Amino acid sequence: MNSTQQWQNVTWFEVDEHQDGQRIDNFLFSRLKGVPKSRIYRLIREGQVRVNKKRIKAETKLAIGDQIRVAPIRYEIKEETDAPVSDKVAQSLLSRIVYEDEGLMVVNKPSGIAVHGGSGVAYGLIEGLRAASGKKYLELIHRIDRDTSGLVMISKKRSTLKLLQDLLREHKIKKTYVAVVKGQVSLDKQLINAPLLRYELANGERRVCVSKDGKESKTQWNVQERFMHGTLVHASPLSGRTHQIRVHGLSIGHPLIGDDKYGHETTYKGPKPRRLCLHAMRLEIPGYAPIEAPMPEDMQSLVAQLRAQKADKVITSVEDDE
């Protein structure tokens, strides 16, 4: 049965111990194969997904025994084949595991691979790791953008998933990204405090903008090095919003180099990037030693080229009082 036929009728799911505590949006992503994430969010907003006969929100947490009803999904979906993960891809993914214990796996995801399949993507990081490792239970603890590289936490046990997602919600896990942005950032350190609102384009693609109607969002920026045409920054999001670092950079006039969604029209005269210059480089999790992944070679190459372009004038650094 193909995915177009599969969701034409009402679909029912029952939550077992493996899904206890999982968000409804993440639950549906893993089960409504072939349905775009934007469509799933729309179904939730429109009340087409009910849990125990009640309307819910995307962040609603599930409990054992919950009955989930999904209305018929009338959506033209392109055929997708379940392409097997090749041995080469499998070994590549397994080689990118930088930390593993009985409950947690941390993978250094390359740029260009989604964290999970769907919307025309045969498989993503999580599906590839399941196939490559042969492990029956692997679940994403959080997500990073497809074009962002770096550290992704994956649970091997339900208890680890619940524990670390609770720590994320309580802002007790510190995530540090390295980014290369356009222009010379004037402040050595600054806290970008700008509410973010998520919206959809006509084609269903999700975007984010700064808006007074958005959710509170804060990012700490620390400048590492300035160049003639760019700045190397360490960014730590103090909230977990979609595209947060990218949009906050745009909001202060320094969009990320290589970003084709936000600030791509901003003038940039430096070396041409190969990808979005954003990498999740460090995780500080209570009870664990810090976990790190160095800046990938393509970003290192771009930084070396920027560094070689001698600046006529480097901005005198100052610090934000905040």
Side-chain angles (χ1 to χ4, degrees):
M1 182 183 296
N2 64 45
S3 58
T4 303
Q5 297 170 332
Q6 191 170 0
W7 313 117
Q8 294 302 306
N9 300 314
V10 171
T11 305
W12 289 89
F13 299 101
E14 182 173 350
V15 177
D16 62 24
E17 67 274 10
H18 295 299
Q19 295 96 38
D20 183 34
Q22 188 174 28
R23 284 172 51 133
I24 183 64
D25 56 351
N26 291 332
F27 178 95
L28 295 175
F29 292 157
S30 64
R31 282 154 186 83
L32 300 182
K33 298 296 185 182
V35 181
K37 288 190 292 182
S38 59
R39 181 64 176 132
I40 290 175
Y41 280 118
R42 190 174 302 153
L43 288 167
I44 293 172
R45 288 197 305 272
E46 293 174 352
Q48 299 300 308
V49 177
R50 301 285 177 119
V51 177
N52 302 328
K53 300 182 180 181
K54 297 179 181 178
R55 293 178 70 117
I56 42 80
K57 296 182 178 180
E59 61 269 24
T60 296
K61 296 290 187 67
L62 299 172
I64 297 174
D66 280 350
Q67 299 292 318
I68 301 170
R69 179 189 185 278
V70 182
I73 302 174
R74 307 194 185 285
Y75 192 90
E76 185 178 351
I77 303 167
K78 296 180 180 179
E79 294 284 339
E80 292 182 2
T81 57
D82 293 327
V85 179
S86 69
D87 290 340
K88 182 178 180 180
V89 171
Q91 291 306 312
S92 175
L93 291 176
L94 292 176
S95 71
R96 299 185 74 89
I97 298 172
V98 298
Y99 176 84
E100 186 171 11
D101 61 25
E102 69 280 358
L104 175 64
M105 177 189 294
V106 180
V107 181
N108 182 12
K109 184 187 81 67
S111 173
I113 182 172
V115 290
H116 56 70
S119 301
V121 179
Y123 64 87
L125 177 71
I126 190 66
E127 291 87 2
L129 284 169
R130 286 169 183 157
S133 67
K135 298 182 186 299
K136 293 183 178 180
Y137 180 87
L138 288 178
E139 293 287 348
L140 291 164
I141 295 172
H142 65 128
R143 299 190 289 269
I144 63 175
D145 296 339
R146 178 175 182 170
D147 295 327
T148 302
S149 59
L151 299 173
V152 178
M153 295 182 288
I154 296 168
S155 68
K156 298 165 63 179
K157 299 194 303 185
R158 170 58 55 180
S159 57
T160 301
L161 178 68
K162 294 180 68 174
L163 172 64
L164 295 189
Q165 285 187 335
D166 285 345
L167 290 174
L168 282 170
R169 187 170 56 254
E170 295 163 4
H171 309 299
K172 293 181 179 178
I173 295 178
K174 182 179 180 181
K175 295 185 284 186
T176 303
Y177 292 74
V178 58
V180 191
V181 305
K182 297 178 181 179
Q184 293 182 10
V185 179
S186 59
L187 298 176
D188 269 350
K189 297 181 180 181
Q190 62 182 303
L191 180 67
I192 303 174
N193 184 356
L196 297 179
L197 178 69
R198 191 166 62 185
Y199 64 96
E200 286 188 6
L201 300 178
N203 63 3
E205 184 178 353
R206 285 188 297 163
R207 292 291 176 89
V208 176
C209 65
V210 172
S211 169
K212 61 180 178 57
D213 298 321
K215 294 183 179 180
E216 182 182 43
S217 307
K218 298 179 180 179
T219 306
Q220 179 65 45
W221 271 37
N222 297 330
V223 168
Q224 303 300 303
E225 189 173 356
R226 294 180 179 87
F227 316 107
M228 181 187 294
H229 299 298
T231 304
L232 183 68
V233 174
H234 285 180
S236 295
L238 307 183
S239 47
R241 310 299 181 203
T242 301
H243 300 168
Q244 178 171 322
I245 294 173
R246 300 163 68 176
V247 179
H248 273 173
L250 176 64
S251 74
I252 62 168
H254 297 285
L256 273 63
I257 294 173
D259 196 335
D260 62 0
K261 289 184 172 65
Y262 303 102
H264 55 277
E265 70 283 351
T266 302
T267 301
Y268 169 67
K269 297 181 180 179
K272 186 176 180 180
R274 300 179 189 174
R275 42 76 64 95
L276 172 69
C277 290
L278 183 62
H279 174 72
M281 62 174 285
R282 183 179 173 92
L283 286 168
E284 297 174 55
I285 309 169
Y288 294 79
I291 302 171
E292 296 185 340
M295 188 163 57
E297 290 184 3
D298 49 10
M299 284 183 63
Q300 289 186 37
S301 175
L302 183 104
V303 168
Q305 293 176 67
L306 283 165
R307 190 176 287 132
Q309 296 177 322
K310 301 299 182 183
D312 296 328
K313 179 181 179 182
V314 176
I315 291 176
T316 301
S317 62
V318 292
E319 285 195 13
D320 189 355
D321 292 334
E322 201 165 354

